[in-house]
Amino acid sequence: MSTDGKDIIGFLDETIEGNTESREYEMTWGALASFLNDYEHLKGTRGLTQKDIAASCGTTQSAISRLERMRGKPTYELLRRLSEAVGGSLFVSPMADFSITLPYDLHDRARSLAEKKAVRVDELMHAMLREAIDNAEYRDECNGTKFELVICGSESEIPVGQYAHDVLTGGTIVDEAPSAFSLGA
Amino acid sequence: MRFSWYPQFLDPDATAKVQKFIQKDLKKYPDLLSRVRTFLVSVEKVENLDSYYKSGEMAKLEGALHEMRIPPTRRGGVVRIYFCVNPEDSREIMLLDAELKHEKEPGRTDTANRRLKEYLAYLARGKQG
């Protein structure tokens, strides 16, 4: 048994896929595992105990313990109350492939940026994602030419959105213009 | 973060200890297998582990040895993954050992510690050579 150059996530995926029981479990309960991961993180960060959570949810500690062990079938209402008990809010969507949770180490930064811009965190995230995808597409259109931002000596429009504006007003200016950026004529 | 596993740095074809744990022990517990996968996917996305220490999902043990607790507490046993951060690359986690730990048992850190020393010695040799 060697790693064969695989990373651990790939190996775990392969292990789950290769075992009928694990595969069926993952298909049925994978979303709950993901919920519990975020729930435990918030619970630990706020120093809450099962007893605290049970009191907030109006249930027993053993019911919370069972849920945390992924036993039984938690109701929508219980999941909603659990989310609130740890200071969050429940999010459910059939679009898992297109839904992401911001990595934990970015939460404080995102929150403070949103406060600074007087918007909600989700509004900030949507705007940033849109901008990132627009920029990534634009980079592809430039045949993979590597650049940060190109300015051709005029104040003409630069079609890379807010990112361009931010860089223009305080970021790095790189001059090595791919033709697509030869603006301002 | 990126994951490497013992003893990949010594011999890429050698048996990976954490891999063996997954196949031999963890496979029997689909719920924990799922939790471990989800947890590691979330760790892979961060560049800084501080929030995991704050939440109690990771803890510093002796010296450079650390552990992941998946989940932090659970009746019936939890998964402990012993690891260290590459001192030359803070975005690389070296997975040294793993076990299914029950509440009253002490963690099996001696093996992890021995592997940690081996790993650090390997890095030191690289610097000299």
Side-chain angles (χ1 to χ4, degrees), chain A residues 1-9 11-13 15-16 19 21-22 25-26 29-30 33-34 36-37 40-41 43-45 50 65 68-71 101 103-105, chain B residues 3 5 8 12-16 18-20 22-23 27 30-31 33-35 37-42 44-48 51-52 54-55 57 71-72 74-75 95:
Chain A
M1 192 192 328
S2 78
T3 55
D4 293 332
K6 268 191 238 64
D7 64 10
I8 188 163
I9 310 292
F11 181 73
L12 281 162
D13 284 342
T15 305
I16 290 168
N19 178 282
E21 191 189 354
S22 301
Y25 191 92
E26 184 65 28
W29 299 110
S34 185
L36 286 173
N37 193 44
E40 292 276 10
H41 189 78
K43 180 184 156 199
T45 303
Q50 286 182 347
S65 169
E68 290 183 1
R69 281 180 288 134
M70 297 174 77
R71 300 285 183 270
T101 299
Y104 299 156
D105 61 332
Chain B
F3 295 109
W5 26 17
Q8 206 171 37
D13 293 326
T15 303
V18 175
Q19 194 175 17
K20 198 174 170 186
I22 292 167
Q23 287 226 311
K27 214 169 153 181
D31 58 327
L33 186 61
S34 187
R35 291 293 298 272
R37 184 195 174 279
T38 312
F39 184 83
L40 293 177
V41 166
S42 79
E44 200 177 38
K45 288 177 192 157
V46 304
E47 293 185 357
N48 179 313
S51 65
Y52 290 94
K54 198 176 165 197
S55 68
E57 294 166 294
R74 177 182 173 274
R75 231 176 85 190
L95 304 172

Side-chain angles (χ1 to χ4, degrees), chain A residues 26-81:
Chain A
E26 184 65 28
M27 279 173 67
T28 310
W29 299 110
L32 183 62
S34 185
F35 170 91
L36 286 173
N37 193 44
D38 293 338
Y39 157 86
E40 292 276 10
H41 189 78
L42 290 172
K43 180 184 156 199
T45 303
R46 287 163 173 76
L48 298 167
T49 63
Q50 286 182 347
K51 212 173 162 183
D52 299 327
I53 306 284
S56 296
C57 294
T59 186
T60 60
Q61 186 180 342
S62 65
I64 301 297
S65 169
R66 276 176 58 76
L67 174 89
E68 290 183 1
R69 281 180 288 134
M70 297 174 77
R71 300 285 183 270
K73 296 177 180 172
T75 60
Y76 173 83
E77 185 53 24
L78 179 58
L79 293 178
R80 190 186 66 74
R81 279 187 281 157

Side-chain angles (χ1 to χ4, degrees), chain A:
Chain A
M1 192 192 328
S2 78
T3 55
D4 293 332
K6 268 191 238 64
D7 64 10
I8 188 163
I9 310 292
F11 181 73
L12 281 162
D13 284 342
E14 203 171 82
T15 305
I16 290 168
E17 273 300 305
N19 178 282
T20 313
E21 191 189 354
S22 301
R23 189 174 59 245
E24 282 173 6
Y25 191 92
E26 184 65 28
M27 279 173 67
T28 310
W29 299 110
L32 183 62
S34 185
F35 170 91
L36 286 173
N37 193 44
D38 293 338
Y39 157 86
E40 292 276 10
H41 189 78
L42 290 172
K43 180 184 156 199
T45 303
R46 287 163 173 76
L48 298 167
T49 63
Q50 286 182 347
K51 212 173 162 183
D52 299 327
I53 306 284
S56 296
C57 294
T59 186
T60 60
Q61 186 180 342
S62 65
I64 301 297
S65 169
R66 276 176 58 76
L67 174 89
E68 290 183 1
R69 281 180 288 134
M70 297 174 77
R71 300 285 183 270
K73 296 177 180 172
T75 60
Y76 173 83
E77 185 53 24
L78 179 58
L79 293 178
R80 190 186 66 74
R81 279 187 281 157
L82 282 166
S83 304
E84 287 171 8
V86 294
S89 55
L90 184 62
F91 172 78
V92 181
S93 167
M95 297 187 185
D97 287 350
F98 295 96
S99 305
I100 59 161
T101 299
L102 196 64
Y104 299 156
D105 61 332
L106 292 177
H107 286 198
D108 287 344
R109 288 166 65 190
R111 194 177 297 119
S112 104
L113 200 56
E115 274 170 20
K116 214 163 130 188
K117 293 183 182 287
V119 293
R120 293 193 315 267
V121 174
D122 66 308
E123 287 175 327
L124 178 82
M125 294 297 99
H126 286 138
M128 294 185 91
L129 277 173
R130 179 167 295 281
E131 189 184 323
I133 290 171
D134 284 349
N135 287 346
E137 276 178 354
Y138 200 84
R139 275 196 294 275
D140 281 352
E141 282 169 21
C142 294
N143 299 321
T145 309
K146 279 184 103 179
F147 61 89
E148 286 178 55
L149 174 67
V150 181
I151 298 165
C152 298
S154 86
E155 290 184 359
S156 304
E157 291 167 20
I158 293 179
V160 285
Q162 185 63 35
Y163 173 71
H165 172 75
D166 289 349
V167 177
L168 273 170
T169 54
T172 318
I173 296 173
V174 181
D175 58 11
E176 240 181 71
S179 56
F181 276 82
S182 298
L183 310 167

Side-chain angles (χ1 to χ4, degrees), chain B residues 1 4 6 9 12-13 15 19 23 32 34 37 42 48 50-51 59 68 74-76 81-82 98 100 110-111 116 120:
Chain B
M1 304 294 287
S4 296
Y6 176 97
F9 58 96
D13 293 326
T15 303
Q19 194 175 17
Q23 287 226 311
L32 282 175
S34 187
R37 184 195 174 279
S42 79
N48 179 313
D50 288 354
S51 65
M68 298 178 193
R74 177 182 173 274
R75 231 176 85 190
I81 299 179
Y82 301 102
L100 188 65
D110 47 347
T111 311
L116 171 65
L120 295 177

